[in-house]
Amino acid sequence: MAETTTKKRKLIQYANGRSLEEINGTVDVPHNISFMKALFMYSGPGALVAVGYMDPGNWSTSITGGQNFQYLLMSVILISSLVAMLLQYMAAKLGIVSQMDLAQAIRARTSKALGIVLWIMTEFAIMATDIAEVIGAAIALYLLFHIPLIIAVFITVFDVLLLLLLTKIGFRKIEAIVVCLIMVILVVFAYQVALSNPNWGGVFAGLIPTGKTFAASPTVGGSNPLQGALGIIGATVMPHNLYLHSAISQTRKIDHNSEKDIARTVRFASWDSNIQLTLAFFVNALLLIMGVAVFKSGAVKDPSFFGLFQALSDTATMSNGVLASVAKTGILSTLFAVALLASGQNSTITGTLTGQVIMEGFVHMRMPLWLRRLVTRVISVIPVLICVSMTSGKSAIDEHVALNDLMNNSQVFLAFALPFSMLPLLMMTDSKLEMGKFKNSLWVKALGWLSVIGLTVLNMQGLPDQITGFFGDNPTAAQTALAHGIADFLIVVILALLLWTIVELHHGNKQLAAHLKAEGQPSAVEAAMTEGVENHEED
């Protein structure tokens, strides 16, 4: 019995110290070096965050948007990317200045009950993105190596071994690997778009939003521009990226007694984040351009990964002779599958780190990264295995559609979790108590509230269609009415939970301010995370 207890203590431990303690403050950045050398040393966390903005969940929405509406939704990709830059800047700044990640900062001001609710909600959001990664990686293995889908799904579980290897080589090397995989994805799609010779005038014109961008008509391929825009926004801005960035922004050593050093770290973290998110913007823009220029208009009948792979090897779907001749060799489809596999592996790394961040922050529980990954992946694999098993006796098209629907429908959890990361982030980075002189400027505050309110409203607006998607491609009138009723109920629940969160955060801030005033302490961080600060100062 004693041995069992010891083993459990080793696997699952209490955690209330620094965020991602194993890598916190492990990267030393020398002073008195050039701007470019400093930028290189600070670069890396932004790449891990950018991965979430170009994961497999983005692919079909961007390509289908191009197929259906030409370059109309380019402005949606641009707006989503700019909002992402703003939110990620605030997340990184929160971690650097407060020495707490977003989950820790929320939990320090809220009750245990709310912490558990937010933890469970965010876990579901992470698992939803993990389902897309499982499907993407399994399909890539099937397409590249002809491995049966069920076996390919099981193989994705063993990417935990890859993660275990990466944890042994150091965080900077993990950042480098992620950057290399991002470049693979970027080069693959840039090559395919270059061959397509797109209408660049139309591309740049599409970057300017118009009244048609968010219109409810016309309906093309079962979707209107508003639904296409909501799909792109929903697949782009994800809650787990905010938790992740607030944690990994703390991997650089910082002298927290030096305001100048903190300001320097915030500045270079912003440069890193914006550069990497610009690359993510180009990847998503290239995906949309692919939908317009690589394929003939309306040629892609199956927007799933299977359909896109087949379309890239079918000369009849190509928009010009050059693409058709290259497609005949199978290079285009093979490169697509390679990029899909790279995207899945990238997301594996970031998803695991995020899971650890929210578990430690919200419920003060820590487990080894490999175990954390194994648990999350096994749970995410179950619905994929059920989906594959249920369609194994049906046609290939039915199997493809079922997997695509599962991936798209799982994203409904993101609409739940997103406001609960954005709103606290904005409230805390607006707070002088939390951030001191690093609190949001007036224009950042205004744009932040506009983004938070806008994204929340759009997510709620798109929720009925997302719920309807659970009933298949051709729901009955009764099913549609039921879906809208469920959506209305969920919206009420979300708004009630948001109100609960706002009230507790406000109350927690007042209590913290009173405590600091009574104790005469200058820093909110010292009151909330004394142990973490002392450990950092010892370093």
Side-chain angles (χ1 to χ4, degrees):
M1 184 71 179
E3 288 181 6
T4 305
T5 305
T6 304
K7 188 174 181 181
K8 284 183 178 178
R9 282 176 183 167
K10 287 181 179 177
L11 287 178
I12 300 176
Q13 301 173 343
Y14 177 77
N16 192 24
R18 295 181 300 172
S19 181
L20 293 177
E21 198 158 12
E22 299 87 351
I23 58 176
N24 192 299
T26 56
V27 180
D28 192 12
V29 182
H31 290 77
N32 302 318
I33 56 176
S34 68
F35 174 86
M36 293 307 297
K37 284 183 179 178
L39 180 60
F40 174 76
M41 293 298 296
Y42 279 105
S43 293
L48 272 72
V49 168
V51 165
Y53 293 92
M54 59 179 92
D55 71 351
N58 294 73
W59 293 28
S60 62
T61 55
S62 295
I63 292 176
T64 304
Q67 272 280 289
N68 292 342
F69 308 110
Q70 300 294 295
Y71 300 110
L72 181 66
L73 301 182
M74 281 291 295
S75 59
V76 178
I77 294 177
L78 177 61
I79 292 169
S80 297
S81 298
L82 292 174
V83 169
M85 290 178 185
L86 181 67
L87 292 173
Q88 297 301 160
Y89 158 71
M90 288 191 284
K93 184 170 68 170
L94 175 70
I96 293 165
V97 176
S98 73
Q99 301 178 73
M100 289 188 285
D101 60 55
L102 180 57
Q104 290 173 328
I106 294 173
R107 181 65 185 87
R109 285 158 180 75
T110 55
S111 64
K112 183 178 180 180
L114 181 57
I116 291 173
V117 169
L118 295 179
W119 172 57
I120 293 172
M121 189 182 303
T122 312
E123 287 284 8
F124 275 119
I126 291 174
M127 287 177 189
T129 60
D130 205 41
I131 286 173
E133 292 153 22
V134 170
I135 292 173
I139 291 174
L141 291 171
Y142 168 79
L143 296 174
L144 287 170
F145 308 111
H146 307 292
I147 298 172
L149 269 176
I150 286 188
I151 297 175
V153 170
F154 277 113
I155 289 175
T156 66
V157 175
F158 292 100
D159 68 9
V160 67
L161 300 175
L162 172 66
L163 186 72
L164 191 59
L165 174 65
L166 290 177
T167 57
K168 303 295 183 185
I169 66 175
F171 194 68
R172 280 295 280 169
K173 292 185 176 69
I174 293 177
E175 292 172 343
I177 291 169
V178 168
V179 170
C180 289
L181 291 173
I182 289 174
M183 294 310 297
V184 167
I185 299 167
L186 182 64
V187 169
V188 166
F189 293 135
Y191 170 67
Q192 296 187 355
V193 166
L195 292 178
S196 70
N197 191 25
N199 173 11
W200 291 109
V203 171
F204 289 114
L207 292 172
I208 302 172
T210 66
K212 296 178 180 179
T213 306
F214 295 97
S217 63
T219 299
V220 181
S223 173
N224 57 47
L226 175 61
Q227 290 171 327
L230 289 174
I232 290 172
I233 292 169
T236 302
V237 183
M238 295 188 180
H240 63 278
N241 279 328
L242 303 178
Y243 293 102
L244 177 65
H245 206 178
S246 63
I248 59 176
S249 63
Q250 300 178 55
T251 54
R252 272 55 181 173
K253 281 188 178 179
I254 307 168
D255 178 7
H256 280 276
N257 293 317
S258 168
E259 189 178 282
K260 183 178 179 182
D261 201 29
I262 295 173
R264 176 192 189 221
T265 306
V266 170
R267 181 164 66 100
F268 279 104
S270 302
W271 271 100
D272 171 43
S273 176
N274 291 339
I275 289 170
Q276 302 294 348
L277 288 172
T278 299
L279 291 178
F281 161 74
F282 281 120
V283 168
N284 288 318
L286 289 169
L287 284 164
L288 187 139
I289 295 169
M290 273 184 66
V292 181
V294 172
F295 307 107
K296 292 177 182 175
S297 181
V300 180
K301 304 298 182 185
D302 178 4
S304 70
F305 296 136
F306 294 101
L308 293 170
F309 180 85
Q310 291 166 0
L312 285 166
S313 57
D314 184 357
T315 57
T317 63
M318 297 292 101
S319 63
N320 62 48
V322 175
L323 279 167
S325 62
V326 177
K328 191 185 298 183
T329 67
I331 290 176
L332 295 182
S333 55
T334 300
L335 287 175
F336 176 84
V338 168
L340 183 59
L341 189 60
S343 178
Q345 293 311 303
N346 256 347
S347 300
T348 288
I349 298 168
T350 58
T352 305
L353 290 173
T354 308
Q356 193 72 0
V357 168
I358 64 165
M359 183 183 287
E360 290 183 17
F362 282 129
V363 293
H364 302 316
M365 187 168 71
R366 175 188 297 142
M367 60 175 65
L369 286 178
W370 64 267
L371 180 60
R372 164 75 214 189
R373 185 59 194 164
L374 192 60
V375 171
T376 306
R377 179 49 61 96
V378 167
I379 294 173
S380 302
V381 155
I382 291 171
V384 182
L385 285 174
I386 293 172
C387 182
V388 172
S389 300
M390 289 177 63
T391 57
S392 60
K394 298 182 180 180
S395 67
I397 293 293
D398 289 333
E399 186 177 63
H400 300 173
V401 170
L403 281 172
N404 200 54
D405 287 345
L406 172 63
M407 183 177 69
N408 292 333
N409 293 338
S410 67
Q411 305 302 297
V412 70
F413 293 107
L414 301 179
F416 272 79
L418 187 57
F420 297 93
S421 57
M422 291 191 302
L423 192 61
L425 174 65
L426 187 56
M427 289 178 67
M428 283 184 281
T429 52
D430 280 347
S431 168
K432 188 170 184 178
L433 175 70
E434 184 71 58
M435 306 299 291
K437 68 166 289 184
F438 295 98
K439 75 171 189 173
N440 293 333
S441 63
L442 183 60
W443 73 269
V444 170
K445 184 176 181 177
L447 289 175
W449 279 107
L450 180 64
S451 301
V452 169
I453 293 170
L455 283 173
T456 302
V457 169
L458 286 172
N459 269 309
M460 297 306 99
Q461 192 174 351
L463 195 57
D465 287 331
Q466 287 182 305
I467 300 296
T468 304
F470 283 90
F471 294 104
D473 294 332
N474 298 300
T476 64
Q479 288 172 333
T480 301
L482 176 61
H484 281 248
I486 293 171
D488 290 340
F489 171 75
L490 291 177
I491 288 171
V492 171
V493 170
I494 291 170
L495 292 176
L497 284 174
L498 271 177
L499 182 60
W500 181 17
T501 304
I502 292 170
V503 169
E504 287 216 2
L505 283 172
H506 180 68
H507 185 62
N509 259 349
K510 287 178 68 176
Q511 281 188 322
L512 185 58
H515 174 77
L516 294 176
K517 186 176 181 181
E519 295 293 325
Q521 294 178 349
S523 169
V525 178
E526 289 174 345
M529 294 271 306
T530 305
E531 180 186 352
V533 176
E534 287 174 351
N535 289 341
H536 193 91
E537 287 173 350
E538 287 171 8
D539 291 343

